[in-house]
Amino acid sequence: MEPLIDLLQSEKSGERERGAWYLDEAHPPADRMADVIIKLADDPVSNCRWRFVAYVTNSRLYSDAIADRLAACLLDLDLYVRAKTIFWAVVANDKKFAHFSEAVLTGAGTMLYKFRNPESAGFWRDSERKRAARGIEIAQRLRAGESVTSIRESMPEEDSFSFDWLASLSHAIKRALERRAAIAGAAPGP
């Protein structure tokens, strides 16, 4: 595991990217990798950021710090990172999704803009808030069982890549919804 951690913490972007790709192969214990994985979310290389989201999805690792990084990934300019984060939100359990949604809607993950003109900063903050809320709404509607096609038609401001990628995962989304329904059905009553 040490060689993997060394790759993930390397100063060289190519080595960090290679380490990120090895995460699925090695599947290291989540509790020992949390601090290292969080750094991937802030990496300038987008492949590292989406590997962060993939690892969090597969390992079910979650904390306040990870929620903040996931919120930033929801706002990522790389559409693949954004789409993977929306998928994470769809398959996350109800408690994690509620916590994540609250964090996103209260501004977690937003950038600090330093413009001379306060109106410019306000414009970008408003744009980010709308984009964050749209990501949460997409995840909520998918979690409720609505089709990607239906959501796409009612949300033309979202990039089509996100919807295309989510549509390609329709079977995984359906399985996650069925699993959640089965767990809810097995839960003891009040």
Side-chain angles (χ1 to χ4, degrees):
M1 191 159 82
E2 292 307 314
L4 176 60
I5 291 173
D6 291 342
L7 283 173
L8 293 170
Q9 294 180 335
S10 173
E11 291 292 319
K12 297 179 181 178
S13 59
E15 289 182 2
R16 288 192 314 275
E17 189 172 13
R18 189 169 35 151
W21 283 104
Y22 289 150
L23 278 172
D24 274 345
E25 302 276 328
H27 198 62
D31 57 337
R32 292 194 51 210
M33 295 299 291
D35 294 335
V36 177
I37 295 302
I38 284 176
K39 291 177 185 173
L40 285 179
D42 300 325
D43 201 285
V45 178
S46 65
N47 285 337
C48 291
R49 295 190 307 272
W50 77 256
R51 292 305 313 152
F52 158 78
V53 178
Y55 184 81
V56 168
T57 303
N58 295 334
S59 69
R60 293 178 173 68
L61 185 65
Y62 192 76
S63 67
D64 288 341
I66 288 175
D68 288 345
R69 296 318 191 291
L70 285 168
C73 288
L74 183 64
L75 294 169
D76 203 288
L77 296 179
D78 183 304
L79 294 174
Y80 194 62
V81 176
R82 177 173 168 79
K84 278 199 109 28
T85 307
I86 293 171
F87 176 74
W88 173 87
V90 172
V91 301
N93 67 37
D94 292 340
K95 184 177 178 181
K96 289 177 186 175
F97 179 71
H99 179 266
F100 173 69
S101 296
E102 183 178 326
V104 168
L105 296 175
T106 57
T110 57
M111 298 176 121
L112 294 174
Y113 293 104
K114 296 178 183 176
F115 292 105
R116 291 179 199 213
N117 182 348
E119 290 180 20
S120 295
F123 169 81
W124 287 109
R125 279 191 203 99
D126 187 50
S127 178
E128 275 193 336
R129 278 192 294 273
K130 288 177 182 174
R131 194 163 185 255
R134 194 168 60 244
I136 293 296
E137 182 182 349
I138 292 167
Q140 284 173 330
R141 291 169 69 179
L142 287 170
R143 290 171 66 87
E146 193 171 338
S147 74
V148 172
T149 304
S150 171
I151 300 168
R152 180 194 302 252
E153 290 170 358
S154 68
M155 211 172 277
E157 60 277 7
E158 182 68 28
D159 193 280
S160 63
F161 178 86
S162 298
F163 290 123
D164 291 344
W165 196 79
L166 289 166
S168 74
L169 293 171
S170 61
H171 293 296
I173 291 169
K174 182 179 177 185
R175 282 192 308 272
L177 295 176
E178 289 170 351
R179 187 172 39 252
R180 192 176 306 118
I183 290 170

